[in-house]
Amino acid sequence: MSWITIVWSMNAAACLTLAAIYLLVWCKQRQDPAHLLFSVTAVAAAAIAAFELEMMHAETVGQYEALMRWIHVPVWVLVISFVSFVRLYLHAGRRWLAWSICGLRTLVLILNFVFTPNLNFRHITSLRHFSWGGGEIISVPVGVANPWGLLSSVSLLLLLIFFVDATITVWRRGDQRRALVVGGSMIFGAILAWHVPLVIWGIIDIPLFLCFAYSGIVAAMAYELSYDLLHAAQLSRRLQESEVDLRETQERMELAASAAKLGMWMWDIARNEIWLADKGRALFGFAPSEKLDLDRFRSAVHPEDRELVFQAVQNSLRTGAEYEAEYRVLLPDGQLRWIAGRGRVEFNSNGQPARMRGASVDITKRKQAEELAARQRNEMAHLSRVTMLGELSGSIAHELNLPLSAILCNAQAAQRILANGKVDHTELREILNEVISEDKRACEVIRRLRLWLKKGEVQQHSLRINNVVQDVLRLLRSDLIHQKVIVDCELARNLPGIIGDPVQLQQVLVNLVVNACDAITNRTIPERRLLIRTGIQNRNGSSAVTVSVTDRGGSIPEEKMEQIFEPFFTTKPKGMGLGLSVCRTIIAAHRGKLWATNNADCGATFHFSLPIAAPDKGAPIIDTNHLTNMQCCSHGAVRHRGGVAPNGVKAPRGSGYDVTKD
Ligand code: ADP
C-alpha cells in the first residue's frame, strides 16, 4: 500500500474517530448542539477524504465524473457545519454573510446535480495517470471547466471573508487563543481549498487534497471542544470539591449553631415563607415539617411582646437597620422561653426588601439570671431603705408628732368651747377644718413611709426628676431641720422626662443627701448647707438628665473615689457601707451613671445621670409630687432658689423662701 492511500485513509479514520467520540459526548450532554454539529462536520470531512482517494484511484472518466458530482454533498454539509459552528459556538461572523454562503452553497449543490457531468466540468475528456511524490499511480481529470463552477469559487471566497471577519471579532473580544486556533485554522483551510478551482481550470496538475484543508479545521474544532470539555471537567471537579467544602462548612455551622443553641432563619418577604433550621424549630416549638409564615411566627410570640417584635421588624424593613429583639415565645406545652433575635434585611435591585436572614438564640437562662439579680437588687435596696428609715425614725416621729399635737390642741379647744355653752359655729368649723387638714398631713407622712417601705417589683414610670427631688426633701424635712442643714435647690425648668422607679430614685437621692449631711455635720463649719442641682447633659450625641448633691464637708481621698462605691466600705463608726453600692446598682439598672468628684474649694459632689425617655415611650408622666407646693412653710430647711433653664443657666431668682425657722 502506498503512502497516499495510507495518509488519506488515516485522515478519514481520524475524522471518523473524532465524530464517534463527540457523538457520544453529545448523547451524554444533549443540551449542547456544538458536539453534534462537530460530529456531522467530522463525518463530512471523512467522506471527503474517502471520495478524494476514490477519485485518485478512478480508472474511467465516468467513474471520476460520478465521484466528483457526489463529493459536493459532503462539501455542502461541511460548509454549512463550519458556518453554523462559527455562529453558534464562536458567536461571531456576520449573519447576512452566513446566510449568503449557505444559500450559495445550496445553489451550487443543486446546479451540480442539474449539470452533466457536474458543476465543475462541462465534460472530462480523459484521465491523466501519473505517480505523485513517489507513491502509487493516481488519476487527474483533463477536460473543459464549467463556467458555473465560478459560483463555487465565489462561495469559497465568501467563506474566507466570513472566517476572517469572525476571527477578528473573536480576537477583539479578548479570546485570542480561540481566534488563533479555530479562526486561524479556518482561514488557512479556506485558502488551501483554492487549489480545487486551480486544478479544475488546469492551472496546476495535482490531485485534490481538500480533505486536508478541511480536516485541519476539524482538528482545530476538536481541540477547542476538548479544551472546553476539559475546562468543564475541571470546573465540575472544583464544584464537587466546593460542594464537599460547603457541606463541611454547613456541618460545622450546624454544630456551632447547635452548641450555641442558635436557630438560623430566612424570611422570603415576597412569598411570605419562613425557613427555619431544625434547631430553630425546636426553639419555637414548631413541628419539623410545618409550613411557616409570618402569621405562624406571630402566633408563637407571647401576646405582650408581639407589638415590640413587629415594631423592630418594621423598623428594620423601613430603615435597613439591623433587626434586634428580645421576646418570649409560648411553647405548645405552655412553657415560656426567652428568645433573642437578630437579623439583617436584603434589598432587591429596586431597593425593596426582598428577604431577611438572621438567627435566634435561647436566652431563657440569662433572663432568669437577670431576674434573679434584679430581685436580689430590690431586696438589697429594700433592706437599705429599712436601715435608712431606722436612722431617720427620730425625725419621722417628730414629723408625725406635729400634726397629732395640732389635732390634740384643736380638739381640746373645741371641748372648751362646748364646755362654755356658748357655741360659736364659725370658730368650731375653723377648728374642725384645722383638725382635718392636720390629719391629712399625718396621713400623707404615713402614706410616704408606707411607699418607702413597700417591697415589690421595680416600677417603670415616666417621671420628672424635679418631683423626685421635692419628694425627697419632704421626706427628709424634719431631719434636715434637726441637723440645722440648709438645702439650696437649683432645679432646671422644663427638664425632659425619664423612665424609672420613683421609690428607688428617691432612695438614691435620700442616700446622697444623708451622706452629705453626715459629711457636713462632722465638721465644725458655721453654716451647714448643701446644694441640689438638676440639669441636662449632652455627651456623645445623647442627652441625659443629671442630678448633683454638693456639700461643703470633707473631700474624698482621690484613691478612694471608686472604693466608696464598693459594698461594706465605710469610714463611719456606725456605717454599714452599703448605701452607695446599692445606689450605684439602682442607677445602673436605670441605664444611668453615678459618680463622685471633689469640689475645688472643699467638700464633694455626687452626681448621677439618667437617660431621657423617648417621647413616645412609657406611660404618661406621673407626678410623684402629690403636694402642690413644697410644704416647708412651717418647718423646714429648704431654700428654693427658683428655676434654672435645663442647660444650667440660672433663671432670675424666684420667690424663694427661707424656712429655716420653726
Ligand atoms: P455609709 O454611709 O454606711 O458609710 P455609704 O456607702 O453610703 O455607706 O458611704 C460609703 C463611704 O463613702 C462613707 O463611709 C464615706 O466615707 C464616703 N462618703 C459618702 N458620701 C460622702 C460625702 N458626701 N463626702 C465625703 N465622703 C462621703
Side-chain angles (χ1 to χ4, degrees), residues 384-594:
S384 170
R385 282 201 300 276
V386 173
T387 319
M388 224 180 279
L389 209 66
E391 286 171 29
L392 299 175
S393 57
S395 354
I396 289 163
H398 177 67
E399 189 84 345
L400 270 176
N401 256 342
L402 285 170
L404 290 178
S405 318
I407 290 169
L408 184 67
C409 288
N410 280 309
Q412 284 169 342
Q415 268 180 342
R416 275 198 301 276
I417 289 171
L418 289 174
N420 279 347
K422 252 171 86 192
V423 179
D424 180 346
H425 284 277
T426 321
E427 202 180 351
L428 211 55
R429 202 170 292 119
E430 270 173 21
I431 287 172
L432 286 176
N433 281 345
E434 190 85 348
V435 168
I436 290 170
S437 88
E438 289 302 328
D439 183 78
K440 277 186 181 165
R441 197 170 141 190
C443 281
E444 183 55 35
V445 172
I446 291 166
R447 192 191 65 77
R448 277 207 300 269
L449 282 179
R450 285 185 59 194
L451 204 66
W452 182 254
L453 282 176
K454 208 170 136 199
K455 183 174 159 191
E457 289 285 297
V458 175
Q459 305 290 316
Q460 291 291 319
H461 290 296
S462 287
L463 41 95
R464 302 271 179 213
I465 200 70
N466 285 354
N467 292 349
V468 176
V469 174
Q470 288 166 353
D471 271 353
V472 165
L473 291 177
R474 235 170 267 130
L475 196 76
L476 293 176
R477 197 181 60 140
S478 300
D479 207 54
L480 293 170
I481 295 166
H482 182 70
Q483 296 192 51
K484 297 190 174 55
V485 174
I486 299 168
V487 179
D488 292 317
C489 276
E490 285 180 11
L491 306 183
R493 279 179 292 141
N494 305 328
L495 277 181
I498 52 158
I499 301 273
D501 182 286
V503 175
Q504 288 206 343
L505 291 179
Q506 283 173 17
Q507 176 177 357
V508 172
L509 205 56
V510 166
N511 218 310
L512 299 185
V513 173
V514 168
N515 276 351
C517 290
D518 287 350
I520 43 181
T521 44
N522 283 345
R523 286 167 68 94
T524 47
I525 39 177
E527 203 181 26
R528 292 173 171 184
R529 50 194 328 152
L530 53 94
L531 170 67
I532 300 180
R533 257 202 197 114
T534 59
I536 193 159
Q537 177 193 65
N538 293 306
R539 194 174 289 170
N540 301 333
S542 62
S543 307
V545 164
T546 55
V547 180
S548 62
V549 180
T550 305
D551 63 60
R552 307 195 63 76
S555 29
I556 306 162
E558 281 305 321
E559 70 279 5
K560 301 250 163 76
M561 224 28 141
E562 274 305 303
Q563 217 181 338
I564 56 171
F565 293 99
E566 284 170 14
F568 308 112
F569 176 87
T570 182
T571 52
K572 299 174 195 168
K574 288 186 185 164
M576 279 178 59
L578 278 178
L580 287 179
S581 100
V582 169
C583 289
R584 204 167 230 192
T585 58
I586 291 176
I587 295 294
H590 283 75
R591 293 185 298 117
K593 252 185 86 184
L594 169 68

Side-chain angles (χ1 to χ4, degrees), residues 268-288:
D268 185 325
I269 298 169
R271 292 203 202 125
N272 188 19
E273 278 175 10
I274 296 177
W275 170 85
L276 191 59
D278 290 347
K279 191 82 217 164
R281 283 178 178 265
L283 277 185
F284 287 84
F286 295 139

